[in-house]
Structure formats: structure tokens, C-alpha cells
Amino acid sequence: MYSDEIELEADTVLATLYAAKKYIVPALAKACVTFLETSLEAKNACVLLSQSRLFEEPELTQRCWEVIDAQAELALRSEGFCEIDLQTLEIILKRETLNTREAVVFQAALDWAVAECKRQGLGPTSRNKRAVLGKALYLVRIPTMTLEEFANGAAQSDVLTLEETHDVFLWYTAANKPKLEFPLQKRKGLTPQRCHRFQSSAYRSNQWRYRGRCDSIQFAVDKRIFIAGLGLYGSSGGKAEYSVKIELKRQGVTLAQNLTKFVSDGSSNTFSVWFEHPVQVEQDTFYTVSAVLDGNELSYFGQEGMTEVQCGKVTFQFQCSSDSTNGTGVQGGQIPELVFYA
């Protein structure tokens, strides 16, 4: 406080923030919040949301929500989620923009209940789990699960009463549906945005084949986003199936990859291929996205590529990647779209 020298560590930053607030040292409090924002990720976002509400730090709260919404499955399955207080649990369960399946939300609520039973010195029985959840259970939108998800999960959890389980099954299958205590409307989730880097696309006979080689491009953004997947061109000669491996790297380190398939219909549309979970991408740093496709068909390719693209409130910059062995670059080639949340 006297020297204005600040050394923060992950283990003590929350306690330091508490002291800074208590003794009204705004510069130290700001440094603590900045430190927390830079260390924010899915596994600690729920705990930091709880703390940011306690310390009345709206900017940190907003950053926490951005991570929880976009990476909801990772956040809800984290150990940190089980450490939050009941009020924060209820706020998260009410959240309209959680980007995940309701079966994941239900399981997260059960995991939290087991941890809360332990904190209260109770055995994790079905009755106790329901008791500690209280009204929060009715914030889970059980009827928006698929019938299969409900039958294999919530229906066998023993947390619902027999009457509730019976009524939900009837709600799925009967023409005359019973009234349920659970919300019926599916969460809105997040709408993916698409950054398209070419101004036109084309095809020519014997012009472009994927052939199992790597198409790659580097990009940077001016604000933090979450990359969800890529939009790729398909066959220019009619319907065709491709095997594809997509990868996201930063400074040579793989952050995410996925091996999947997609079917193109012969049009010049792009076809979305997704990572397992959205990946947080920091501002002002170049990342490399790559796609290796296997398929013999001739494909469309992009032309008139742009080095800078404004997409909503996010500006993308593109540059060539040394990983690219199939001809893709800034001006033309493949990987026409980045699919993201912001």
C-alpha cells in the first residue's frame, strides 16, 4: 500500500481483492480484477462469478458470463461449479444463454447437490440432494431434454418423485399433456457468428482437390472470442462425403482438434465442422487453423481473400500459414469461414 508495488498470485488474489475493497485501495482492487480476468477460464469461471457478485465487480461478472455461456459444458462439469453458493447456482440455472444440452445442466445440478450435502455433513441420499437443491431443481428445463436423455438420466436419478417422472413421460408422449413445474421453453443458447474471408468462390475443372493435404491460415482478433468451428467448401461435382480433421493451434501448441465427416451437396455453400467445445481465443495474438480433408472430388475454392474482415464488433486479421501444403493462403483457397461466439 505504501510502495505501490503489486505482486499477485492465484492462491491469494481473492483475499487481496477482499482487503483492497475493505480498506478502499482502488488501484489494488483494479489490479486484482485485471489479474482475475486474464486467468479466467471455464474451470474457474463459476467460482469467479460467485466472487465477482460478492465484490460487486460488474466487468468481471460480465467476463465470467461470456465464458460460462460459450463454454457451458466445460464450466458446468468443472470442480469449481460444485463450490459455488446456492444463489449463484440458481442464477446460472436460470441463464437463458447457456450453450449446452439440458442433460448436462441437470447432471451439474446433481453434482453440486452431492458437494453441498458434504458441506452440510449430510449423506448424499436422493432425499438430501433434493432438499439442498430446493427450488433450484425447478430451474432445470427437464422437458427440453430428448425423451432418450430423460429416460437414461433424470428419470433414473431418484431425485424426481415418481409422480414427477410419470408426468414428464406423459408430457413427452400423451396428446393431453399434464401440467409440469419445470420450465418448458428451451434455452436460447448462443447464435454462432461467421467470419467469411473471401469475396467470391469458384470452381474449375482439375483446379482444386483436397487430396489429404493440409489447408491452413493464421488469424488474429481485436477482442476475446470463442472459436466453435470452421465453415468449409465441399464438392463442385455433386454430392460427396469428406473425412476431415480440423485443428486450432497457438504458437505451435494444439488447443483443439476434431476428426469428423461432413456431406456436401454440390453447391458453393460452406459446410460447418465443429470442435468438441468452443475454444477461447485471446486478442492480438495469431492463431493457426488447419483442415485436412480426404475426398477425391474436385472442390470449390475461395477468391479475392481479405487480410482484414469486420464481423460484428470483432475485427479479424488473416495471414498465410507455413503449415499450408495445399495452396491455401490469404488471397485464395480453402477455410472460407471461422465460426465463433463473441
Side-chain angles (χ1 to χ4, degrees), residues 12 28 47 67 70 73 90-91 105 110 117-118 124 140 152 176 186 188 190-191 206 214 220 223 282 285 314 333 338:
T12 57
L28 180 57
V47 171
V67 174
E73 187 167 339
E90 290 176 345
I91 290 170
V105 178
L110 289 192
C117 285
K118 190 174 182 181
V140 182
N152 293 328
N176 187 19
K186 192 176 178 69
K188 291 178 181 175
L190 296 176
T191 303
N206 204 30
C214 182
K223 58 181 58 180
E282 301 296 337
T285 302
V314 184
L338 302 181

Side-chain angles (χ1 to χ4, degrees), residues 40-43 45 62-72 75 224 226 280:
L40 180 61
E41 52 188 331
K43 67 182 181 183
Q62 179 58 33
R63 279 288 302 116
C64 290
W65 278 127
E66 289 171 9
V67 174
I68 293 167
D69 282 343
Q71 298 181 305
R224 189 183 283 115
F226 299 87
Q280 185 166 294

Side-chain angles (χ1 to χ4, degrees), residues 51 62 92 98 107 197 212 246 278 285 289 299:
Q51 297 295 330
Q62 179 58 33
I92 292 174
L98 289 180
Q107 186 57 51
R197 67 187 193 91
I246 59 171
T285 302
V289 282
S299 69

Side-chain angles (χ1 to χ4, degrees), residues 73 76-78 81-82 89 93 100-115 129 133 137 140 142 145 149 152-157 159:
E73 187 167 339
L76 295 182
R77 286 180 169 168
S78 68
F81 178 80
C82 296
L89 173 73
L93 295 183
T100 190
R101 295 175 296 112
E102 205 63 24
V104 173
V105 178
F106 180 80
Q107 186 57 51
L110 289 192
D111 293 342
W112 180 91
V114 170
K129 284 189 281 189
L133 279 168
L137 179 62
V140 182
I142 286 176
M145 297 179 190
E149 284 176 330
N152 293 328
Q156 298 186 46
S157 67
V159 170

Side-chain angles (χ1 to χ4, degrees), residues 272-287:
S272 298
V273 181
W274 306 91
F275 291 111
E276 185 178 0
H277 302 288
V279 185
Q280 185 166 294
V281 165
E282 301 296 337
Q283 65 187 49
D284 302 328
T285 302
F286 273 96
Y287 291 76

Side-chain angles (χ1 to χ4, degrees), residues 10-179:
D11 294 341
T12 57
V13 65
L14 286 171
T16 306
L17 178 57
Y18 171 79
K21 290 276 188 177
K22 182 176 180 179
Y23 296 109
I24 316 175
V25 189
L28 180 57
K30 189 175 189 329
C32 290
V33 170
T34 301
F35 182 92
L36 290 169
E37 285 184 350
T38 57
S39 61
L40 180 61
E41 52 188 331
K43 67 182 181 183
N44 64 10
C46 295
V47 171
L48 291 182
L49 175 70
S50 178
Q51 297 295 330
S52 69
R53 291 178 55 253
L54 177 68
F55 293 131
E56 297 180 330
E57 286 290 344
E59 286 187 19
L60 179 57
T61 300
Q62 179 58 33
R63 279 288 302 116
C64 290
W65 278 127
E66 289 171 9
V67 174
I68 293 167
D69 282 343
Q71 298 181 305
E73 187 167 339
L74 293 174
L76 295 182
R77 286 180 169 168
S78 68
E79 290 182 13
F81 178 80
C82 296
E83 299 171 12
I84 61 178
D85 58 280
L86 178 60
Q87 191 178 11
T88 304
L89 173 73
E90 290 176 345
I91 290 170
I92 292 174
L93 295 183
K94 287 177 186 174
R95 187 77 171 170
E96 189 69 36
T97 42
L98 289 180
N99 199 41
T100 190
R101 295 175 296 112
E102 205 63 24
V104 173
V105 178
F106 180 80
Q107 186 57 51
L110 289 192
D111 293 342
W112 180 91
V114 170
E116 183 63 16
C117 285
K118 190 174 182 181
R119 284 190 286 269
Q120 295 187 21
L122 303 170
T125 63
S126 299
R127 176 178 289 185
N128 286 341
K129 284 189 281 189
R130 181 165 182 129
V132 298
L133 279 168
K135 293 180 180 178
L137 179 62
Y138 293 108
L139 299 174
V140 182
R141 306 184 186 193
I142 286 176
T144 68
M145 297 179 190
T146 65
L147 176 57
E148 185 178 7
E149 284 176 330
F150 175 71
N152 293 328
Q156 298 186 46
S157 67
D158 290 333
V159 170
L160 305 183
T161 65
L162 282 175
E163 183 181 2
E164 286 169 340
T165 303
H166 175 262
D167 283 352
V168 173
F169 272 123
L170 280 180
W171 191 88
Y172 281 115
T173 55
N176 187 19
K177 299 184 184 300
K179 184 179 179 183

